[in-house]
């Protein structure tokens, strides 16, 4: 077998590993930057290391903020990003591939066997993450896709290395059976093309490829484990303490609204929480989705305060940030026992509603959408009582001297810091409301 | 094979060390930004939710209202309620016309509730207009009731009548809406006939008796009510 022919799987594995390492490192770098509890731009690109782009990173941000991006998220702020394990694993595969590439036929037979065993594990992990991205998150980030592609290439290379090795093994067995002095025998049927006599490296003195000890596989597996775990251990050792920051974002000074204007959702007797939300605010939608995904929202005995960032009803703004939010808020107020359903509908249809509000028909479009999905609310939406109730909700924010921003969530009367509402959410909830069970 | 193994191990160690160093450095840099507050300082300031502030809230207008609020029991923990004509005159420190002019921007926002001669009793139209104005609060914090009495009768009698008219409005709101802390929202001024009488041109404002003849005497048998959209 020509060494050039047999070495291409190792070369491919090396390229795939370096590519995977680059994407995993880029993703990890983005994650670690957020450990200062601020929001940063992401390197969301098919070119690893390309400049961070603002706004073009929705899918990557969705993936990063999801519960699937990290492990042990309730034990460490932000958890341990799974891309960190990929950094260690791809580093190992790069070094191992380089070794196989350089050693050629001198590498023991255990090497391609190990590559088959271990080289497909990134692909299995990628398949699982791809399914989560598609089914749970509804989007695939470019950096993640880069890792998936690298994993596929590595799996192809691993399988190819094993197949090539099997062919070589059969050839070696055949050559060993023949006399060293005898001319090379005709190839058995079906192997003519794969092993032409003219390309045998050392036809005169045949040296079969060493098999190697089975312990080699165990050793390499241990090494792979060490590579995968070491960056994670160093990551944990360098993490600062976040516990002092969690309760520093204020309290709800006046939690009670005496006229009963606020909405109650969720089971009575659960964890008391107050949520200030705008139905057309994308960040509110994202936080709601995260709370649902964590399994936390269903356990909240929640008081819902609508805080539309729309100057149509909110006197704290001189222009609308989310045009149409007042109208949708009134629809929610008018729905009472199905208020949460209307809010979740508004979140689902948020992009369309915002687009429609800014288009020619303006608020009439929003009104039509509400009428179509939730008929019978028109009179209530236009009543002064509903306006008054919404005023009272906005006044509740004034009475509590809250920032004019959404979402704001209070667990009990302690505010969940905005900085802890994304990758630090599970940790913050675990600390502020330990009785809440998270998925 | 030996050389390949050495190269592989060396490369692996280098890559692991490099990755670990990069990760550790990244986390430490974030930790430093967190501890020093550099990242926090870079955040834009966010406005705090507050009462509405309409363009008519001129410094002069706010000064008068603030004095009234301080002296008439709406701010602080005093049990005292409302201001008498003499108080208002002293507090406002401005002429009658200037005092009335301050309320001109509230023409659309407010309403003039009219009463019968020598009566503090609200009629249905008056009650309906008070309700209409009360529910249209929006971002306002204070609801002002400026009651008046016409020049007919003695100053003492008119002062008492004006006081009763202001209270009629307050009681009507209290009975209908049963809101707590009403005394911290509603500011009462009763002007009698010594200060800031209204001219006939106020008949063109949003009055409760649109179908009746309005003259200078009639418009001063009234209570002007309005939410005030000023941060006081």
């Amino acid at each position: 077998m020509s060494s050039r022919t047999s070495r291409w799987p190792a070369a491919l594995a090396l390229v795939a590993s370096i590519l995977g390492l680059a994407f995993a490192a880029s993703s990890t770098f983005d994650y670690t930057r957020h450990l200062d509890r601020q929001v940063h731009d992401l390197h969301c690109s098919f070119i690893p290391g390309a400049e961070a782009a603002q706004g073009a990173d929705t899918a990557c941000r969705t993936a990063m903020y999801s519960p699937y991006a990290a492990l042990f998220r309730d034990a460490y702020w932000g958890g341990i990003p799974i891309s960190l394990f990929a950094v260690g694993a791809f580093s190992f595969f790069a070094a191992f591939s380089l070794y196989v590439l350089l050693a050629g036929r001198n590498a023991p037979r255990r090497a391609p066997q190990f590559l088959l065993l271990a080289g497909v594990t990134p692909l299995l992990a990628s398949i699982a993450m791809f399914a989560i991205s598609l089914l749970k998150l509804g989007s695939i980030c470019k950096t993640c896709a880069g890792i998936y592609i690298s994993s596929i290439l590595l799996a192809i290379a691993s399988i190819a290395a094993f197949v090539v090795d099997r062919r070589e093994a059969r050839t070696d067995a055949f050559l060993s059976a023949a006399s060293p002095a005898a001319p090379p025998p005709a190839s058995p049927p079906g192997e003519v093309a794969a092993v032409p006599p003219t390309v045998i490296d050392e036809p005169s003195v045949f040296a079969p490829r060493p098999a190697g000890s089975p312990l080699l596989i165990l050793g390499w597996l241990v090494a792979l484990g060490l590579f995968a775990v070491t960056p994670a251990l160093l990551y944990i050792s360098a993490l600062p303490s976040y516990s002092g920051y969690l309760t520093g974002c204020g309290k709800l000074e006046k939690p009670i609204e005496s006229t009963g204007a606020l909405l109650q959702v969720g089971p009575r007797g659960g964890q008391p929480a107050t949520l200030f939300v705008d139905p057309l605010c994308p960040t509110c939608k994202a936080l709601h989705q995260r709370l649902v995904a964590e399994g936390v929202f269903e356990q909240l005995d929640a008081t819902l305060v609508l805080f539309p960032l729309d100057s149509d009803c909110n006197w704290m703004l001189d222009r609308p940030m989310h045009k149409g939010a007042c109208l949708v808020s009134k629809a929610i107020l008018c729905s009472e026992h199905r208020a949460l359903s209307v809010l979740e509908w508004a979140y689902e249809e948020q992009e369309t509603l915002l687009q429609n509000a800014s288009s020619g028909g303006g608020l009439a479009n929003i009104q039509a959408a509400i009428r179509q999905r939730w008929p019978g609310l028109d009179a209530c939406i236009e009543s002064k009582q509903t306006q008054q109730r919404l005023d009272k909700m906005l006044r509740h924010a004034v009475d509590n001297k809250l920032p004019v921003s959404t979402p704001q969530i209070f667990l009990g009367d302690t505010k969940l810091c905005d900085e802890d509402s994304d990758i630090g959410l599970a940790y913050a909830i675990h600390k502020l409301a330990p009785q809440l069970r998270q998925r | 094979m030996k050389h390949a193994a050495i190269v592989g191990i060396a490369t692996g160690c280098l890559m692991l060390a490099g990755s670990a160093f990069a990760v550790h450095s990244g986390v430490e840099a974030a930790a430093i930004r967190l501890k020093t507050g550099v990242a926090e300082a870079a955040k834009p300031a966010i406005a705090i939710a507050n009462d509405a502030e309409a363009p008519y809230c001129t410094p002069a207008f706010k000064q008068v209202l603030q004095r009234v609020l301080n002296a008439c029991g709406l701010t602080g923990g005093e049990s005292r309620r409302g201001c008498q004509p003499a108080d208002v005159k002293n507090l406002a420190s401005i002429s009658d016309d200037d005092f009335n002019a301050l309320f001109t921007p509230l023409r659309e926002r407010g309403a003039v509730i009219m009463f019968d001669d020598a009566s503090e009793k609200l009629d249905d139209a008056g009650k309906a207009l008070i309700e209409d104005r009360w529910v249209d609060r929006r971002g306002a914090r204070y609801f002002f009731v400026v009651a008046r009495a016409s020049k007919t009768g003695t100053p003492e009698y008119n002062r008492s009548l004006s006081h009763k008219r202001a209270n009629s409005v307050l009681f009507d709101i209290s009975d209908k809406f049963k809101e707590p802390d009403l005394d911290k929202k509603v500011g009462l001024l009763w002007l009698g006939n010594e200060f800031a009488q209204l001219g006939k041109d106020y008949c063109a404002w949003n009055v409760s008796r649109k179908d009746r003849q309005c003259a200078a005497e009639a418009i001063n048998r009234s209570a002007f009510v309005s939410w005030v959209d000023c941060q006081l």
Side-chain angles (χ1 to χ4, degrees), chain B residues 199-218:
Chain B
K200 189 173 181 292
D201 49 334
Y202 284 86
C203 290
W205 284 35
N206 186 16
V207 295
S208 62
R209 293 175 175 175
K210 291 188 176 68
D211 51 343
R212 295 208 204 164
Q213 202 173 8
C214 181
E217 278 291 303

Side-chain angles (χ1 to χ4, degrees), chain A residues 115 129 150 170 194 201 210 219 249 361:
Chain A
L115 209 51
M129 296 311 292
S150 308
R170 282 198 292 273
D201 287 340
C249 293

Side-chain angles (χ1 to χ4, degrees), chain B residues 31 47 127 189 225:
Chain B
K127 287 178 180 177
L189 287 82
V225 296

Side-chain angles (χ1 to χ4, degrees), chain A residues 21 32-33 36-38 84 87 91 95 98 102-103 106 227 234-235 238 242 258 315-316 384 391 395 402-404 419, chain B residues 1 4-5 7-8 11-12 15 19-20 23 27 30 33-34 39-40 43 47 49-52 132 137-140 180:
Chain A
L21 175 61
T32 53
R33 283 181 77 205
D36 63 4
R37 297 172 82 237
Q38 304 304 316
L84 198 53
V87 166
S91 295
L98 182 65
L102 294 177
N106 293 323
F227 268 68
L234 278 165
Y235 179 91
Y242 290 90
S258 53
W315 60 86
M316 298 164 230
K384 283 198 169 177
D391 285 347
R395 289 219 64 82
L402 299 182
V404 185
E419 296 85 347
Chain B
M1 179 192 160
V7 170
T11 306
M15 293 187 95
S19 304
V23 166
V27 179
R33 289 198 302 275
L34 180 70
E40 185 77 18
K43 282 168 63 180
N50 205 343
D51 305 313
D132 184 67
R137 181 178 181 180
R138 287 174 260 167

Side-chain angles (χ1 to χ4, degrees), chain A residues 139-367:
Chain A
S139 59
I140 295 168
C141 79
K142 290 177 183 172
T143 315
C144 308
I147 296 176
Y148 304 157
I149 291 165
S150 308
S151 302
I152 292 169
L153 291 177
L154 181 60
I156 289 171
S158 302
I159 294 166
F162 182 74
V163 169
V164 168
D165 175 66
R166 294 312 302 157
R167 284 181 183 167
E168 282 185 356
R170 282 198 292 273
T171 309
D172 286 357
F174 188 78
L175 290 174
S176 299
S179 164
S187 297
E191 295 216 359
V192 175
V195 193
T198 50
V199 293
I200 292 174
D201 287 340
E202 298 160 13
S204 54
V205 182
F206 176 74
R209 191 174 177 179
S213 165
L215 287 176
L216 275 175
I217 291 182
L218 188 64
W220 287 326
L221 278 174
V222 170
L224 173 59
L226 282 175
F227 268 68
V229 167
T230 303
L233 292 176
L234 278 165
Y235 179 91
I236 293 169
S237 72
L239 278 177
S241 169
Y242 290 90
S243 52
Y245 298 98
L246 298 181
T247 53
C249 293
K251 300 250 178 196
L252 202 57
E253 289 179 15
K254 297 178 181 170
I256 307 295
E257 201 285 327
S258 53
T259 66
L262 312 182
L263 282 163
Q264 295 297 321
V265 295
R268 298 286 83 83
Q271 164 67 41
T274 307
L275 290 89
F276 291 79
V277 296
D278 173 347
L280 296 188
C281 136
T283 322
C284 300
K285 174 185 175 180
L287 178 63
H288 181 81
Q289 288 173 336
R290 282 199 290 280
L291 289 171
V292 170
E294 297 280 357
V296 166
F297 192 84
E298 65 202 31
Q299 299 174 61
L300 296 180
D301 181 353
T303 301
L304 199 63
V305 188
L306 296 166
F307 194 3
L309 300 181
D310 178 2
S311 53
D312 199 29
C313 62
N314 188 336
W315 60 86
M316 298 164 230
L317 300 158
D318 55 7
R319 56 186 174 279
M321 280 181 72
H322 305 130
K323 195 175 177 187
C326 291
L327 205 51
V328 178
S329 297
K330 288 177 183 175
I332 293 167
L333 283 178
C334 289
S335 305
E336 202 60 58
H337 68 281
R338 347 170 259 190
L340 185 59
S341 303
V342 181
L343 177 65
E344 287 180 334
W345 166 80
Y347 284 152
E348 276 170 31
E349 300 294 321
Q350 197 174 76
E351 279 181 34
T352 313
L353 291 170
L354 283 168
Q355 277 172 6
N356 288 347
S358 305
S359 66
L363 294 181
N365 293 334
I366 304 274
Q367 218 151 10

